[in-house]
Amino acid sequence: MRAIITGITGQDGSYLADLLLEKGYEVIGMIRRSSTDCLERLTHLEGRITLKQGDLLDQLSLISLIEEVKPDEIYNLAAQSFVPTSWRQPVLTGEFNALGVTKMLEAIRVVNKSIRFYQASSSEMFGKVREVPQTEMTPFHPRSPYGVAKVYGHYITLNYRESYDIHANSGILFNHESPRRGLEFVTRKITNGAARIKLGLADELRLGNLDAKRDWGFAGDYVRAMWMMLQQSEPGDYVIATGENHSVEEFVKIAFAYLDLDFKEYVKIDPRFVRPAEVDILLGDASHARKILGWKPTVSFEELVKMMVDSDIERLSGSAGK
C-alpha cells in the first residue's frame, strides 16, 4: 500500500507516518517548497519516508504528484491549523483549509477516483454548540475563520463522495495533543511553561481563558482512527473524541501539581490571549466510531498531561544548566 500524507511535518502527520510504516506502507509526504515548517518531527523517520513537493494552492502540482506517486490512500492533514492566526489571516486560512481541500479532491477525480481520501475536519466546526455532547448530526456554528473554512472542507468532501462515488471520509477530530504539539498551542504552552518554571528558566506563565472546556485526547490514538476510516467498505464521517470534558484550568492544575508547583503562584491571565469569539465547551460523542470502526482511546487525560510534561522536562533539562 502507498499513501500520501499532506501536512506530514505536523503533529498528526508524523504520528500517522509512524503508524503507516508499522503497517508496511510506503509513505510519501507532501511538503511545500516555501514551507517554514521544520522537519524535526520526522528526523526519526529519515530514510524510511519520501518527501515530495506539492502545494494545496496549486492544482497542477497536486495532479502531477498523484500521477507520479499513484497512491492507494491520501490523508489531507495540511492546513493553516492555528485558530488565533485565522483572525489575522482569514483569507489565507480559507484558501488552505477550504479551497485546498477542493483542489485535492478535484485532483483525485481527474487522476483516479478509486483513491481513498481522508479529510481532517475539526470540532471547531461546532463552535457555539447547539447540543452537548456533539455527534456527527450536530449542526455546525463555527466561531472563527478557521472553523468556517473547516466546515467548507467538510462539506466539499461529502459533496465529492456523493457526486463522484469517491471513498472520501471526514474525521471530526476533537482536540488531540502530544509531546509533538506545537509550542503555540495552549496545551503545549502549559506543559512547556510548567517545565521551564520548575527548571528555573521562567517565573510566570501567561494564558487567556482558563474556563474554556475541551475534549482532549492523545494524537497517537486519533491517527489510528484516520487509518481505520479508510479501511471500511463504505466511506463516512466520524466524530473522534474521548467523551470527557476538562477545562484549561484543570490541564494547568495537573501539569503544575505533577511538578509539585502551585499554578496560582505562577499563572497570569493576559487579555491578549483571549479569542474575539470564544468556543466555551466542546465535548464529543464517538459512539459511532466505536460501533463502526471499533476505535477507542487508550491514553487518559491525566496520562496525556504527564506525558507532555515529562517530554518538556527532558527536552529542557539541558538548557537549565547553561
Side-chain angles (χ1 to χ4, degrees), residues 2-4 65-73 111-112 115:
R2 188 178 296 137
I4 291 174
L65 178 64
I66 293 173
E67 286 179 335
E68 177 189 353
V69 172
K70 297 178 174 58
D72 301 288
E73 300 172 352
V111 180
N112 179 7
I115 294 170

Side-chain angles (χ1 to χ4, degrees), residues 55-85:
D55 194 323
L56 285 180
L57 303 186
D58 184 350
Q59 180 80 74
L60 286 177
S61 75
L62 301 180
I63 291 173
S64 297
L65 178 64
I66 293 173
E67 286 179 335
E68 177 189 353
V69 172
K70 297 178 174 58
D72 301 288
E73 300 172 352
I74 294 177
Y75 296 84
N76 186 42
L77 310 185
Q80 190 299 97
S81 61
F82 191 44
V83 176
T85 296

Side-chain angles (χ1 to χ4, degrees), residues 99-144:
L99 295 181
V101 184
T102 314
K103 290 174 181 177
M104 181 61 84
L105 285 163
E106 185 65 5
I108 291 172
R109 185 189 70 81
V110 169
V111 180
N112 179 7
K113 290 194 292 184
S114 68
I115 294 170
R116 297 193 170 198
F117 177 75
Y118 172 83
Q119 166 59 16
S121 288
S122 168
S123 59
E124 288 285 334
M125 301 188 304
F126 295 119
K128 190 175 183 179
V129 298
R130 310 285 184 88
E131 62 183 8
V132 180
Q134 294 89 52
T135 72
E136 293 80 5
M137 303 307 294
T138 302
F140 299 134
H141 187 148
R143 297 267 280 174
S144 66

Side-chain angles (χ1 to χ4, degrees), residues 25-290:
Y25 278 65
E26 181 182 346
V27 176
I28 295 88
M30 187 185 91
I31 58 172
R32 301 175 67 212
R33 184 175 182 276
S34 61
S35 177
T36 56
D37 285 334
C38 61
L39 302 177
E40 65 179 23
R41 294 184 182 95
L42 302 176
T43 52
H44 67 292
L45 298 178
E46 192 171 351
R48 300 179 63 202
I49 60 174
T50 303
L51 299 179
K52 290 189 175 290
Q53 289 180 11
D55 194 323
L56 285 180
L57 303 186
D58 184 350
Q59 180 80 74
L60 286 177
S61 75
L62 301 180
I63 291 173
S64 297
L65 178 64
I66 293 173
E67 286 179 335
E68 177 189 353
V69 172
K70 297 178 174 58
D72 301 288
E73 300 172 352
I74 294 177
Y75 296 84
N76 186 42
L77 310 185
Q80 190 299 97
S81 61
F82 191 44
V83 176
T85 296
S86 73
W87 276 287
R88 295 193 296 272
Q89 296 181 300
V91 175
L92 184 68
T93 299
E95 288 174 340
F96 275 116
N97 298 7
L99 295 181
V101 184
T102 314
K103 290 174 181 177
M104 181 61 84
L105 285 163
E106 185 65 5
I108 291 172
R109 185 189 70 81
V110 169
V111 180
N112 179 7
K113 290 194 292 184
S114 68
I115 294 170
R116 297 193 170 198
F117 177 75
Y118 172 83
Q119 166 59 16
S121 288
S122 168
S123 59
E124 288 285 334
M125 301 188 304
F126 295 119
K128 190 175 183 179
V129 298
R130 310 285 184 88
E131 62 183 8
V132 180
Q134 294 89 52
T135 72
E136 293 80 5
M137 303 307 294
T138 302
F140 299 134
H141 187 148
R143 297 267 280 174
S144 66
Y146 172 87
V148 172
K150 280 292 187 179
V151 170
Y152 180 105
H154 180 81
Y155 277 126
I156 201 68
T157 300
L158 174 65
N159 193 261
Y160 270 71
R161 178 166 78 218
E162 294 178 348
S163 302
Y164 301 116
D165 198 27
I166 293 172
H167 199 293
N169 305 262
S170 283
I172 307 173
L173 270 55
F174 279 64
N175 296 65
H176 47 290
E177 318 299 321
S178 75
R180 301 181 193 176
R181 191 53 139 161
L183 284 167
E184 69 273 23
F185 289 87
V186 67
T187 50
R188 185 71 192 292
K189 187 177 178 181
I190 292 166
T191 60
N192 179 67
R196 288 178 63 82
I197 290 168
K198 181 66 176 179
L199 295 172
L201 300 172
D203 54 17
E204 69 174 19
L205 173 62
R206 292 186 170 270
L207 297 171
N209 180 15
L210 297 187
D211 296 324
K213 292 185 175 180
R214 295 291 183 269
D215 183 329
W216 277 298
F218 172 52
D221 284 338
Y222 285 42
V223 299
R224 184 163 38 86
M226 300 176 187
W227 175 79
M228 287 175 153
M229 291 177 208
L230 268 55
Q231 311 317 305
Q232 304 305 306
S233 57
E234 297 295 329
D237 304 326
Y238 297 89
V239 163
I240 303 299
T242 68
E244 292 183 11
N245 225 197
H246 299 279
S247 68
V248 175
E249 183 171 318
E250 284 180 76
F251 200 109
V252 171
K253 193 177 294 184
I254 291 174
F256 277 74
Y258 186 48
L259 296 175
D260 296 317
L261 298 171
D262 181 355
F263 79 94
K264 292 178 181 177
E265 295 180 17
Y266 303 100
V267 174
K268 313 293 183 189
I269 304 302
D270 191 328
R272 291 179 302 161
F273 300 122
V274 176
R275 295 182 181 186
E278 184 58 85
V279 174
D280 296 315
I281 180 169
L282 291 173
L283 177 63
D285 178 355
S287 55
H288 181 60
R290 283 198 301 272

